Amino acid sequence: MKRLLVLLVSVMSIDGIMTFWALTGGLAREWNPIVAPIAGDWHFILLKVVGAIVCAIALWTVYKSFPRIALIGANYVVAFYVAILAWNFNVLFLA
């Protein structure tokens, strides 16, 4: 579970860095209306990293009582962010 949570924090942080880079470089636009106002600012990366760490801590807390639920949840979040990273990589570098 610890490795999975490290992976979770990593992919969420990489997504934030890739999004920040694409936005500040003029290569993309943020479609999420909640984070769009800060997406081009360094606060966005801070928000993504802190959010990822909070998510990992919450999943670790759940894991202590309900390991199967926490593993399933962590796997879904990692799969979701891997899909987002694959999509962003495809749009930014292969299109």
Side-chain angles (χ1 to χ4, degrees), residues 18-31 39-40 88 91-92:
M18 183 181 278
T19 302
F20 178 79
W21 174 77
L23 292 172
T24 57
L27 300 172
R29 147 181 176 200
E30 179 60 53
W31 287 88
N88 287 344
V91 168
L92 293 173

Side-chain angles (χ1 to χ4, degrees), residues 19-93:
T19 302
F20 178 79
W21 174 77
L23 292 172
T24 57
L27 300 172
R29 147 181 176 200
E30 179 60 53
W31 287 88
N32 183 340
I34 296 170
V35 297
I38 65 163
D41 193 20
W42 67 271
H43 293 100
F44 175 72
I45 294 175
L46 181 65
L47 177 70
K48 289 291 278 193
V49 172
V50 170
I53 292 169
V54 168
C55 183
I57 291 169
L59 283 166
W60 182 254
T61 303
V62 171
Y63 179 75
K64 293 176 184 178
S65 300
F66 305 100
R68 187 163 188 227
I69 292 172
L71 283 169
I72 291 169
N75 276 301
Y76 274 108
V77 172
V78 168
F80 176 75
Y81 271 95
V82 166
I84 289 174
L85 288 176
W87 173 266
N88 287 344
F89 186 81
N90 181 45
V91 168
L92 293 173
F93 300 112

